[in-house]
């Protein structure tokens, strides 16, 4: 085919198969749509920006060392969240070991011990559905079982146990993924050296899977530290002036305090600033936890 | 040479140690006990909700339950459930009206239009939205969005269904966006390239090729979003208040099912009263509804998934 013949054909081609006006319109539509999709994405981010900016500006002048180190008070000028921070810490002290031990054990069972049959499938479906149960329902469970049946009331232990059940699915799923990612040749090598299944688990698989497990656990804890509804349903009292000293004490945590202060802004307008300052503390804690999780993942995760 | 000795030592040590054998036999049982805790949790939830919820359904006639008068603490108490079901549906609809367009647009932009560089910057930011505690969104709805909307709608109440609905939509957006994006990313590139080679624009590729191919995952993300909206508590507790009126006016306060549970437990409802049992009845409805939604989402994404 000569060059001339292509040239002579070309002018006919677009005329035959598409009209030029339609083509331009389609290109234009594509460009408009692209801008629309981008602006919708940016709108979501704009809300995030406004949220953080607005709450930060409400907390200015209220968030200081005195606010972090003094105790709760009904007078806004005197109020501080020292006891509230301790309450959240105590809560984590219960949630972290319980979810880590039970979550990792469940994941080990599902990945390494359970035969690939109905039991395993049943537990898997059960866990994924448990993850979708509204947190307020966990609150009802905690109120009935831990609060009333075990008579733990609204203590740190009752709150911690309720919260542990709530975030357990997150730890299980993350640990399962981490264990699944351990390559089989490491297992085979360990068995070939005469190690038993448990020894292989303890000395080979868990150490390799540990970064993934820790990342998942930190994310689960960050969910637990910001969760409010289960604790409200448990019936945490409004104003706790006593600083918690043990797991049987009544307590209040950061999200609960934000909730009560927001509710009471009708009575005392300054409470809105206290709530905003507490939110900033909570967001900083969450940010630090998530950053730690990402750092652990990036630093220790090995790819085989 | 050194390594061979280590292997031999380890083998002989393992053969000699009987302790490891016992531990090895014991461990599966310990792990099974741990795994069964999640099942016990489910049984516990179902049992408490049904056990106490049934007491409510036995005492209260069905005609009263399906009425529009909800006044649990009145001297002549009435337990019509329709006001809080109405509140739940209306706030969820508002939320989905925000979450579906924004979430789907974000998914389309990230999966079809954005370059790798842009995606790597925007995606983590969108996920930050998912990590913000709902109490913070509640505070935001009450202290910022409601006053902002009041400048447009002067009749808006300090507690209303509109503002928490919108904020709840923003909260659900990352869920819809990331699940839809996953579904769209799993559509193979050959299909896009085929359509582009036939002269389609990216917009046409998105709506005529990618979305039809990923529709099961996208619909599943919507269903999960609805389930989240129905189960969401703190945003509506703070933003929408506790009015038990049966109304369709979104500028007024409405109570959702979750908010009813929170209001009642933090109040002084004594154990054994009808009001106390009504809590579990509402919880049961909520549990069944979200469970059905979650199962539906799993069913849709499994059944209608097209494998490539």
């Amino acid at each position: 085919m000569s060059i001339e013949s292509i040239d002579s054909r070309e002018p006919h081609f677009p005329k035959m198969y598409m009209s030029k006006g339609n083509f331009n319109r389609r290109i234009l539509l594509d460009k408009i749509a692209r801008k629309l999709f981008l602006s919708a994405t940016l709108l979501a981010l704009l809300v995030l920006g406004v949220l953080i900016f607005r709450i930060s500006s409400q907390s200015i002048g209220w968030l200081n060392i005195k606010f972090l180190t003094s105790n709760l008070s009904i007078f806004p000028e005197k109020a501080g969240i020292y006891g509230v921070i301790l309450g959240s810490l105590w809560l984590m002290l219960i949630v972290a070991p319980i979810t880590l031990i039970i979550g990792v054990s469940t994941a080990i069972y599902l990945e390494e011990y359970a035969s690939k049959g109905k039991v395993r499938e049943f537990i898997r479906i059960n866990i994924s559905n448990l993850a979708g149960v509204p947190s307020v329902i966990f609150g009802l469970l905690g109120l009935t079982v831990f609060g009333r049946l075990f008579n733990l009331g609204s203590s740190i232990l009752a709150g911690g146990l309720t919260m542990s059940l709530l975030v357990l699915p997150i730890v299980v799923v993350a640990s399962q993924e981490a264990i699944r990612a351990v390559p089989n040749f490491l297992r085979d090598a360990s068995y070939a050296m005469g190690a038993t299944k448990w020894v292989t688990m303890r000395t080979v698989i868990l150490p390799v899977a540990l970064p993934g497990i820790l990342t998942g656990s930190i994310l689960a804890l960050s969910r637990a530290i910001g969760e409010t509804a289960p604790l409200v349903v448990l019936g945490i009292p409004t104003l706790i002036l006593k600083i918690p000293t043990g797991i049987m004490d009544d307590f209040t945590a950061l999200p609960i305090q934000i909730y009560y202060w927001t509710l009471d802004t009708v009575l005392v307008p300054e409470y809105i600033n206290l709530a905003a300052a507490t939110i900033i503390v909570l967001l900083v804690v969450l940010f630090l936890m998530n950053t730690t999780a990402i750092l652990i993942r990036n630093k220790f995760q090995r790819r085989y | 040479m050194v390594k061979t000795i280590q292997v031999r030592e380890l083998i002989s040590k393992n053969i000699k140690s009987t302790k490891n054998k016992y531990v090895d036999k014991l461990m599966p049982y310990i792990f099974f006990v741990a795994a069964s805790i999640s099942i016990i949790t489910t049984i516990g939830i179902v049992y408490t909700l049904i056990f106490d919820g049934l007491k409510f359904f036995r005492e209260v006639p069905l005609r009263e339950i399906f009425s529009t008068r909800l006044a649990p603490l009145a001297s002549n108490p009435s337990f019509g459930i329709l006001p809080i079901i109405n509140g739940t549906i209306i706030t969820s609809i508002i939320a989905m009206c925000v979450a579906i367009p924004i979430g789907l647009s974000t998914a389309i932009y990230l999966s079809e239009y954005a370059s790798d560089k842009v995606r790597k910057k925007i995606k983590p930011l969108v996920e930050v939205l998912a990590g913000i505690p709902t109490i913070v969104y509640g505070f935001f709805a009450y202290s910022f969005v409601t006053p902002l909307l009041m400048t447009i709608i002067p009749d808006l109440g300090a507690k209303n269904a509109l503002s928490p609905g919108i904020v709840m939509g923003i909260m659900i957006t990352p869920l819809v966006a990331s699940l839809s994006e996953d579904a769209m990313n799993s559509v193979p590139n050959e299909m896009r390239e085929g359509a582009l080679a036939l002269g389609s624009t990216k917009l046409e590729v998105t709506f005529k090729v990618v979305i039809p191919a990923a529709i099961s995952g996208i619909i599943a993300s919507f269903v999960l979003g609805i389930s989240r909206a129905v189960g969401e508590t703190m945003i509506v507790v703070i933003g929408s208040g506790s009015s038990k009126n049966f109304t369709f006016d979104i500028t007024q306060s409405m109570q959702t099912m979750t908010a009813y549970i929170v209001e009642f437990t933090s109040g002084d409802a004594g154990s054994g009263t009808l009001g106390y049992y009504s809590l579990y009845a509402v919880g049961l409805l909520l549990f069944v509804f979200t469970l059905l939604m979650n199962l539906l989402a799993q069913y849709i994404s499994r059944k209608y998934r097209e494998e490539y």
Side-chain angles (χ1 to χ4, degrees):
Chain A
M1 204 186 283
S2 69
I3 293 168
E4 284 88 347
S5 71
I6 295 175
D7 281 352
S8 66
R9 243 192 240 170
E10 216 186 31
H12 302 285
F13 186 76
K15 267 186 202 153
M16 275 166 68
Y17 292 102
M18 54 176 110
S19 84
K20 201 150 191 207
N22 185 21
F23 189 69
N24 281 343
R25 214 188 68 210
R26 287 166 55 210
I27 298 272
L28 184 68
L29 263 181
D30 184 53
K31 280 184 179 158
I32 294 173
R34 182 200 169 92
K35 295 229 160 63
L36 271 179
F37 295 141
L38 176 62
S39 42
T41 311
L42 293 180
L43 179 69
L45 298 184
L46 178 75
V47 174
L48 176 68
V50 170
L51 184 147
I52 291 174
F53 174 77
R54 163 89 184 175
I55 296 177
S56 308
S57 64
Q58 278 172 318
S59 74
I60 285 173
W62 295 85
L63 184 58
N64 49 34
I65 298 292
K66 200 181 126 269
F67 181 70
L68 294 177
T69 52
S70 52
N71 212 343
L72 283 175
S73 160
I74 50 167
F75 304 107
E77 305 78 34
K78 286 186 187 166
I81 53 167
Y82 178 65
V84 185
I85 294 175
L86 277 185
S88 275
L89 278 180
W90 273 108
L91 199 65
M92 291 306 108
L93 229 53
I94 306 269
V95 176
I98 290 180
T99 50
L100 200 60
I101 292 170
I102 297 178
V104 174
S105 303
T106 306
I108 291 176
Y109 179 78
L110 290 176
E111 288 301 314
E112 301 286 330
Y113 286 95
S115 52
K116 292 196 193 324
K118 280 184 181 159
V119 178
R120 188 181 138 144
E121 188 61 12
F122 178 69
I123 298 179
R124 196 193 60 76
I125 290 176
N126 178 55
I127 287 172
S128 78
N129 282 322
L130 216 49
V133 172
S135 57
V136 69
I137 303 274
F138 279 96
L140 277 181
L141 176 74
L143 173 74
T144 319
V145 176
F146 302 129
R148 306 213 170 183
L149 191 66
F150 295 172
N151 216 5
L152 298 173
S154 54
S155 61
I156 293 172
L157 187 58
L161 290 173
T162 309
M163 223 44 128
S164 302
L165 294 181
L166 176 69
V167 299
L168 193 59
I170 305 177
V171 182
V172 173
V173 172
S175 309
Q176 264 182 293
E177 272 166 16
I179 291 172
R180 212 176 299 148
V182 177
N184 264 332
F185 65 76
L186 288 180
R187 288 185 183 84
D188 296 343
S190 175
Y191 291 143
M193 304 237 298
T196 60
K197 197 163 188 173
W198 166 237
V199 172
T200 305
M201 186 65 57
R202 192 167 43 103
T203 57
V204 178
I205 296 174
L206 282 184
V208 175
L210 194 63
I213 292 173
L214 281 182
T215 307
S217 305
I218 295 175
L219 292 182
L221 280 190
S222 72
R223 167 91 195 275
I225 213 166
E227 193 63 61
T228 323
L231 297 181
V232 175
V233 173
L234 262 182
I236 308 286
T238 318
L239 191 64
I240 301 262
L241 297 172
K242 202 171 141 265
I243 286 173
T245 52
I247 57 170
M248 294 313 291
D249 282 4
D250 273 351
F251 74 112
T252 173
L254 289 168
I256 294 281
Q257 202 53 46
I258 296 168
Y259 171 56
Y260 287 138
W261 269 332
T262 310
L263 277 189
D264 289 344
T265 46
V266 190
L267 309 173
V268 186
E270 286 88 354
Y271 278 175
I272 205 121
N273 302 95
L274 295 178
T278 316
I279 287 176
I280 296 298
V281 173
L282 179 62
L283 290 183
V284 168
V285 170
L286 287 177
F287 178 76
L288 291 178
M289 288 172 84
N290 284 309
T291 314
T292 316
I294 292 168
L295 284 181
I296 290 177
R297 191 172 62 193
N298 291 348
K299 191 161 168 68
F300 295 104
Q301 205 164 48
R302 275 175 281 178
R303 299 215 176 271
Y304 295 92
Chain B
M1 206 50 205
V2 179
K3 275 186 182 165
T4 337
I5 293 165
Q6 278 181 344
V7 171
R8 278 192 190 140
E9 271 176 5
L10 193 69
I11 292 174
S12 59
K13 212 172 87 188
N14 268 317
I15 290 171
K16 274 178 204 155
S17 123
T18 48
K19 190 186 117 224
N20 268 340
K21 277 181 189 160
Y22 287 121
V23 172
D24 221 56
K25 276 190 182 140
L26 189 66
M27 286 326 271
Y29 296 104
I30 294 176
F31 293 139
F32 179 73
V33 169
S36 60
I37 286 180
S38 74
I39 296 175
I40 294 171
T41 308
T42 310
I43 294 173
I45 290 175
V46 173
Y47 181 77
T48 47
L49 292 181
I50 289 181
F51 187 75
D52 284 337
L54 274 187
K55 284 181 192 158
F56 174 79
F57 287 116
R58 226 177 281 146
E59 297 268 330
V60 183
L62 269 182
R63 195 129 78 19
E64 188 181 322
I65 293 176
F66 288 103
S67 74
T68 56
R69 182 169 173 261
L70 178 64
L73 295 174
S75 55
N76 168 28
S78 168
F79 292 96
I81 209 163
L82 291 183
I84 53 175
I85 288 187
N86 178 55
T88 305
I89 291 175
I90 285 180
T91 48
S92 302
I93 289 175
I94 298 171
M96 293 322 284
C97 286
V98 173
I100 289 180
I102 299 184
L104 194 56
S105 298
T106 306
I108 292 173
Y109 182 75
L110 289 179
S111 128
E112 303 301 314
Y113 285 93
S115 63
D116 272 351
K117 225 173 112 188
V118 175
R119 186 186 307 131
K120 269 187 191 143
K121 277 182 192 153
I122 290 185
K123 217 182 157 179
L125 282 176
V126 174
E127 273 159 14
V128 169
L129 272 176
I132 290 181
T134 57
I135 180 79
V136 178
Y137 281 114
F139 176 85
F140 185 64
Y142 176 72
S143 78
F144 180 73
V145 178
T146 299
L148 188 71
L149 289 172
M150 270 177 184
T151 60
I152 308 166
I153 314 166
D155 291 343
L156 198 71
K159 306 261 178 172
N160 61 78
L162 183 61
S163 143
I166 293 172
V167 174
M168 202 151 76
I170 296 289
M171 181 206 81
I172 296 167
T173 298
L175 177 87
V176 173
S178 79
L179 290 177
S180 299
E181 199 211 334
D182 287 347
M184 290 163 79
N185 272 337
S186 64
V187 175
N189 257 333
E190 287 85 349
M191 291 176 63
R192 289 188 184 87
E193 284 156 5
L196 285 171
L198 288 170
S200 308
T201 62
K202 272 198 170 172
L203 181 67
E204 288 158 350
V205 173
T206 305
F207 279 94
K208 293 180 182 164
V209 177
V210 178
I211 290 185
I215 194 72
S216 67
I218 294 173
I219 300 282
S221 82
F222 295 169
V223 175
L224 281 179
I226 295 172
S227 166
R228 272 286 287 282
V230 167
E232 174 43 44
T233 313
M234 294 325 287
I235 300 177
V236 282
V237 169
I238 293 180
S240 188
S242 58
S243 152
K244 294 169 184 62
N245 295 331
F246 184 77
T247 169
F248 295 106
D249 185 359
I250 54 172
T251 62
Q252 295 308 311
S253 163
M254 282 179 205
Q255 191 165 41
T256 65
M257 293 156 79
T258 49
Y260 178 80
I261 296 177
V262 165
E263 189 207 358
F264 229 89
T265 45
S266 32
D268 298 323
S271 172
T273 62
L274 209 50
Y276 177 76
Y277 293 131
S278 75
L279 238 135
Y280 292 88
V282 172
L284 183 63
L285 283 180
L286 199 62
F287 175 76
V288 169
F289 184 76
T290 50
L291 182 69
L292 286 180
M293 283 307 221
N294 292 339
L295 290 176
L296 180 69
Q298 286 170 24
Y299 176 78
I300 291 173
S301 68
R302 208 176 314 139
K303 174 94 179 178
Y304 296 100
R305 179 160 51 210
E306 298 190 28
E307 300 279 355
Y308 298 102

